[in-house]
Amino acid sequence: MRSCGIVVEYNPFHNGHRYHAQQARELSGAEVIVAVMSGNFLQRGEPAIIDKWSRTQAALKNGVDLVVELPFAWAVQSADYFAKGSIKLLQALKCEALCFGTDSTAAFDYAGYGRFFIEEKSAIDQLFHELPIGWSYPEKMAEVVSQLYPKAQDFPPNHLLGLSYAKENATYNQPMEIFPLPRKDQGYHDASLVTDQFASATGIRQAVLAGGDYADFVPVETLDTLRHTHISWTDFWPYLDYQLRASSLTTLQEIYQMNEGLEHRLVEQGAKNFPEFLQAIRTKRYTQPRLQRLLTYVLLQVKTAEIKAEQEHTMLHVLGFTDQGKKYLNQIKKQVPLPIAAKIGQKEKKNHFLTYRADQIYQLIHPEEQTIGRFPLRA
């Protein structure tokens, strides 16, 4: 069976995501849609508004055949590491095609860019390190690509992520065929809810937290879940505040990606809530996602060695499948180079420990969350 991979977070799953799954199948000619999905904490350093099992259920009811979890050590990362882990899982699952959304306003040869990045890696690395220290990573990458690959002049968020997918995909002997899908209607950060069918996840989350009307933009599975639970950084603020107050500077220095004296900035800023705290610590150099990821590491007390260890022991945790997805998994499982876990037991928890810890912390706010011993969902 021909398979097409998609990389998703579904925060929350909405009508645009259903369209993505449908178009991935149509554009690639795939019989099976395989989704690599972040767990309960996401790439931009945020807790998922809905738990991973509920998001999996919505995906399986709306065009996805197989959902596997992107481990925390890959999921809560900058674009390049996020893409590296995602492509690693899709390659392991023998996907022949890759379809991702893009905000790019013009047709772009992602596969060509991927090949260019591999061929010119030395020049790219040299220029990157010559750029001003005070620039953020996205600013540096945008400048590098614009100078060395002028065909790529448009750098909205999903376009940059698409570039990361493309260059990681190109490192494999058998790269997946790429099918970029232009975003319909709402932009990545567009908070308005003005169209008949599509709205951004950002806009939907804001409507949920503000008590607004978002019913027209999500499938019934998402709507039912959001009516009784929705989670944000505000819920975790007391726990983060405690970690910052209770930890010594020496302890904070050991947190993953805590560098250049950031620990001093974190403990010196008093705040009454998470938005106020985030505003107080923001600088031109450190983007909001970069800081939110760091705060997630503080919340979970993540060390550098733990990130490396979980990445080295990457596995495929199956969250759910349809009959077609199960059939595909049975077809390829003997060829898959990574361990496949149908459920998390003590053995799997040992190598999946950061992801398990993230679930345990998420459970403080959402007690119904359960990972240990839970079998994949079926649809």
Side-chain angles (χ1 to χ4, degrees):
M1 289 186 284
R2 179 171 169 82
S3 58
C4 180
I6 57 178
V7 182
V8 300
E9 294 203 295
Y10 295 153
N11 191 38
F13 190 99
H14 56 65
N15 293 346
H17 294 136
R18 179 168 54 199
Y19 173 78
H20 176 206
Q22 293 169 345
Q23 288 298 299
R25 192 182 302 273
E26 182 175 325
L27 292 171
S28 67
E31 300 164 85
V32 179
I33 300 299
V34 178
V36 168
M37 187 184 79
S38 300
N40 285 325
F41 286 87
L42 309 176
Q43 193 263 335
R44 292 174 60 83
E46 300 170 301
I49 192 170
I50 295 176
D51 71 87
K52 63 187 178 186
W53 299 102
S54 298
R55 287 180 284 136
T56 296
Q57 185 67 36
L60 296 176
K61 293 290 187 179
N62 290 277
V64 177
D65 295 299
L66 173 63
V67 181
V68 297
E69 181 174 13
L70 182 63
F72 178 94
W74 294 114
V76 187
Q77 289 281 8
S78 61
D80 283 350
Y81 280 103
F82 180 84
K84 185 178 181 68
S86 301
I87 299 302
K88 180 184 181 74
L89 266 60
L90 290 178
Q91 283 281 347
L93 288 163
K94 306 302 176 183
C95 290
E96 299 161 272
L98 170 66
C99 180
F100 53 80
T102 177
D103 291 323
S104 182
T105 56
F108 182 79
D109 183 6
Y110 282 97
Y113 168 78
R115 292 190 296 270
F116 159 80
F117 196 92
I118 300 303
E119 295 167 359
E120 302 296 332
K121 189 176 188 307
S122 296
I124 291 170
D125 289 343
Q126 180 178 341
L127 178 55
F128 184 92
H129 291 297
E130 289 175 354
L131 293 173
I133 294 177
W135 288 19
S136 69
Y137 178 83
E139 289 174 330
K140 285 188 176 183
M141 282 309 302
E143 180 64 22
V144 167
V145 175
S146 65
Q147 285 193 35
L148 299 181
Y149 200 78
K151 297 176 184 178
Q153 294 294 336
D154 184 19
F155 297 100
N158 276 14
H159 185 49
L160 281 174
L161 198 52
L163 297 179
S164 296
Y165 294 144
K167 65 187 183 185
E168 184 60 32
N169 185 49
T171 65
Y172 287 85
N173 291 331
Q174 292 184 306
M176 292 175 282
E177 186 178 3
I178 294 177
F179 296 91
L181 179 66
R183 179 180 292 274
K184 286 180 70 68
D185 298 322
Q186 305 306 112
Y188 186 79
H189 292 301
D190 195 330
S192 61
L193 302 180
V194 296
T195 65
D196 293 334
Q197 186 177 11
F198 297 108
S200 73
T202 299
I204 293 169
R205 288 195 302 274
Q206 290 186 10
V208 170
L209 298 175
D213 184 9
Y214 52 89
D216 290 342
F217 307 101
V218 298
V220 64
E221 294 81 13
T222 297
L223 185 62
D224 288 345
T225 303
L226 286 173
R227 279 175 171 163
H228 63 77
T229 182
H230 43 267
I231 294 169
S232 72
W233 252 119
T234 296
D235 298 301
F236 288 97
W237 167 245
Y239 301 101
L240 174 63
D241 190 30
Y242 169 79
Q243 292 284 26
L244 292 171
R245 291 173 186 268
S247 301
S248 67
L249 288 174
T250 301
T251 299
L252 288 174
Q253 287 170 354
E254 297 174 352
I255 298 295
Y256 178 58
Q257 291 194 349
M258 187 73 74
N259 49 35
E260 299 177 336
L262 274 170
E263 68 277 7
H264 293 278
R265 189 169 186 84
L266 297 187
V267 299
E268 291 169 359
Q269 304 295 335
K272 297 179 181 179
N273 53 55
F274 184 78
E276 182 179 312
F277 179 74
L278 189 61
Q279 184 61 35
I281 65 173
R282 288 182 66 175
T283 68
K284 186 177 185 301
R285 179 170 185 180
Y286 295 107
T287 63
Q288 180 173 327
R290 165 72 170 86
L291 290 172
Q292 288 184 163
R293 285 192 292 269
L294 180 62
L295 296 176
T296 301
Y297 305 145
V298 173
L299 179 68
L300 273 65
Q301 292 292 291
V302 177
K303 308 298 191 298
T304 301
E306 293 179 315
I307 290 286
K308 292 181 178 179
E310 184 166 277
Q311 289 179 346
E312 288 173 0
H313 295 92
T314 298
M315 70 178 187
L316 296 160
H317 178 210
V318 180
L319 295 175
F321 45 69
T322 62
D323 289 343
Q324 187 80 337
K326 182 181 180 182
K327 182 179 178 182
Y328 177 74
L329 196 57
N330 287 334
Q331 175 186 305
I332 65 165
K333 63 182 180 182
K334 291 183 179 180
Q335 308 167 44
V336 175
L338 297 177
I340 300 176
K343 65 176 181 177
I344 302 298
Q346 293 303 315
K347 177 183 177 182
E348 291 77 17
K349 186 175 74 173
K350 183 178 179 181
N351 292 329
H352 206 58
F353 55 92
L354 280 180
T355 304
Y356 172 72
R357 188 187 304 168
D359 290 345
Q360 292 293 98
I361 297 299
Y362 196 84
Q363 197 175 45
L364 292 173
I365 307 301
H366 186 50
E368 294 81 6
E369 168 63 27
Q370 176 199 350
T371 295
I372 294 295
R374 187 164 184 172
F375 287 97
L377 298 176
R378 301 190 181 197

